[in-house]
Amino acid sequence: MSASSRFAPMPDANGYFGPYGGQLVPPELKQAMDDIEAAYEEIRQRADFQEELASLFADYVGRPSPIFHAKRLSAQLGGAQIHLKREDLNHTGAHKINHCLGEALLAKFMGKSKVIAETGAGQHGVALATACALVGIPCEIHMGQVDIEKEHPNVIKMRILGCKLVSVTRGAATLKEAVDSAFEEYLKDPQNFIYAIGSVVGPHPFPKMVRDFQSIIGNEAREQFLARHGRLPDHVTACVGGGSNAIGMFTAFLDDEGVNLVGVEPAGEGLEIPGRHSATLTKGKPGEIHGMACYVLEDEQGNPSAVHSIASGLDYPGTGPQHCYLKDIGRVEYATVTDQECLDAYMTLSRVEGIIPALESAHAVAWAIRTAPTLSPDQHILVNLSGRGDKDADYVANLLGL
Ligand SMILES: *Cc1c(COP(=O)(O)O)cnc(C)c1O
């Protein structure tokens, strides 16, 4: 763990990272958020909670996840060495289980009767349904009917895992409507229900709490890299949707000024086409969404704009408040990768290393593939491989006619 970080006290007592974050919620939710914060502050300092979480990370998730040196890929590119932090090897196949376990344990500690969430592609839904099955707490996931038809394997998994899946048919029947529907259910009884947010977004304390649960990634990676190489990597990169896997990786390295941190946003079909990318930090401006102040992509009317990415886990018109702050102070650089570059990286990593990455994670891989040839072979790039790509295999095969 990096000691005495000047970033560790973030956010402040009101949940702000500089001008971003906060708790921009209706008065009837303020108490519920304060209760969650108080409960979280209590359990995070309790040895029994930390021990339970640590033993689940080890025996249930399979942590620590290894770091793999992608030697063949590095040699082919003829530049820097590329290393992969294998969050794809976690139980359920991605980093999301790290914070879903934390949230489920918190819900149980608070005596909540139901955990509620929305899901888009179903990744958050599956991870949360898994954690709730393990902890033994009822779970209700809201999902747009259009997404339910598209994401069959995840829908089936959620049903097998025993969660209540609510099909949302209003409007466009996708993620936005699912959020609205889940939120309405939560508002019926915020004292007894808890809304489990799926990334480092939303009102305080979620950006902080989800970051803390995910920071295991960077804590492990920093130690593993030092032990093996006797030095830190030169560049550390991760994809950014809401920003949880990236902040989970970056937190341990924030004080290491020599380590260049790079968040990769989806440029989709092109940054110049409004509505066809999801590069919030690159193209958005400070605004407000889902209970927090952060960079937002807006349309001409000032509403959150339509967004697109080939990776459905990355298409969100806001982003985590800590990322906004880290961009403004220049500690993290935010780059972009197009759908095409992502697809190329998905195939390259599969065929050169035998690792099929999630399309989300393939954005970070694509940045490494683009950057490695500009560096020398004694430099090191550490990529957070946030998840595995089985979920995307049918889609990619159709697209490429495989
Ligand atoms: C959901 C997801 C993401 C995007 O979420 P962040 O909060 O930005 O990390 C990235 N990778 C995978 C594999 C995901 O499932």
Side-chain angles (χ1 to χ4, degrees), residues 60-395:
Y60 189 73
V61 180
R63 307 204 68 91
S65 61
I67 292 181
F68 174 72
H69 182 186
K71 288 193 187 128
R72 259 170 53 80
L73 180 63
S74 307
Q76 266 190 20
L77 294 166
Q81 304 305 309
I82 296 176
H83 308 264
L84 309 172
K85 175 65 170 165
R86 300 289 310 274
E87 291 297 297
D88 61 314
L89 294 178
N90 293 345
H91 178 47
T92 68
H95 72 288
K96 286 195 174 75
I97 191 71
N98 298 332
H99 71 250
C100 285
L101 279 177
E103 288 178 329
L105 289 175
L106 177 72
K108 193 175 178 196
F109 172 79
M110 295 182 76
K112 299 286 186 182
S113 62
K114 182 161 78 176
V115 178
I116 300 170
E118 84 289 343
T119 193
Q123 294 298 106
H124 177 50
V126 169
L128 192 64
T130 300
C132 288
L134 173 75
V135 168
I137 191 166
C139 172
E140 180 176 310
I141 308 279
H142 294 238
M143 188 169 184
Q145 180 58 32
V146 169
D147 291 329
I148 287 181
E149 281 156 29
K150 262 182 21 197
E151 307 290 346
H152 188 67
N154 279 342
V155 169
I156 294 297
K157 281 187 205 164
M158 284 185 274
R159 294 206 165 111
I160 291 173
L161 290 163
C163 82
K164 178 177 173 196
L165 190 69
V166 176
S167 160
V168 181
T169 53
R170 68 179 83 164
T174 59
L175 182 61
K176 185 187 170 297
E177 291 76 24
V179 174
D180 295 342
S181 168
F183 203 67
E184 283 163 23
E185 179 63 23
Y186 175 54
L187 281 179
K188 286 181 190 163
D189 191 356
Q191 292 313 316
N192 287 307
F193 300 162
I194 186 166
Y195 197 117
I197 293 179
S199 188
V200 283
V201 299
H204 181 62
F206 284 94
K208 171 188 181 170
M209 190 166 80
V210 171
R211 173 201 65 195
D212 291 352
F213 291 137
Q214 288 295 349
S215 62
I216 182 90
I217 302 174
N219 288 340
E220 282 177 7
R222 191 176 184 281
E223 209 172 279
Q224 290 166 316
F225 205 93
L226 265 178
R228 188 175 308 167
H229 302 280
R231 50 162 294 183
L232 294 175
D234 302 281
H235 304 270
V236 176
T237 187
C239 65
V240 179
S244 66
N245 88 88
I247 210 76
M249 177 58 114
F250 295 165
T251 298
F253 294 96
L254 286 175
D255 278 346
D256 301 314
E257 296 288 348
V259 179
N260 184 38
L261 303 174
V262 183
V264 183
E265 297 195 299
E269 292 166 5
L271 290 176
E272 66 291 348
I273 318 173
R276 300 308 295 166
H277 65 78
S278 184
T280 307
L281 288 158
T282 306
K283 298 290 279 186
K285 56 183 191 347
E288 241 183 79
I289 190 171
H290 294 146
M292 60 174 168
C294 66
Y295 278 74
V296 181
L297 284 169
E298 290 181 348
D299 62 19
E300 268 135 41
Q301 286 77 47
N303 298 314
S305 80
V307 281
H308 160 83
S309 167
I310 189 172
S312 47
L314 300 182
D315 57 358
Y316 181 58
T319 200
Q322 192 171 2
H323 285 290
C324 304
Y325 175 74
L326 291 169
K327 175 190 162 76
D328 284 6
I329 65 167
R331 178 61 190 96
V332 180
E333 173 196 333
Y334 293 89
T336 65
V337 154
T338 64
D339 285 354
Q340 186 60 54
E341 290 172 295
C342 165
L343 200 57
D344 292 346
Y346 180 95
M347 292 307 297
T348 299
L349 193 68
S350 299
R351 294 193 169 176
V352 178
E353 299 288 359
I355 296 172
I356 304 177
L359 284 171
E360 290 81 6
S361 325
H363 282 76
V365 176
W367 183 85
I369 289 174
R370 183 203 291 163
T371 307
T374 69
L375 304 170
S376 66
D378 62 352
Q379 292 198 288
H380 298 273
I381 300 175
L382 174 62
V383 177
N384 194 22
L385 203 72
S386 55
R388 67 177 183 227
D390 314 37
K391 66 185 180 60
D392 304 310
D394 283 342
Y395 175 80

Side-chain angles (χ1 to χ4, degrees), residues 26-42:
E28 65 267 31
L29 271 187
K30 173 87 175 100
Q31 187 58 48
M33 292 302 130
D34 289 347
D35 290 347
I36 292 171
E37 188 194 356
Y40 172 61
E41 290 304 325
E42 185 185 338

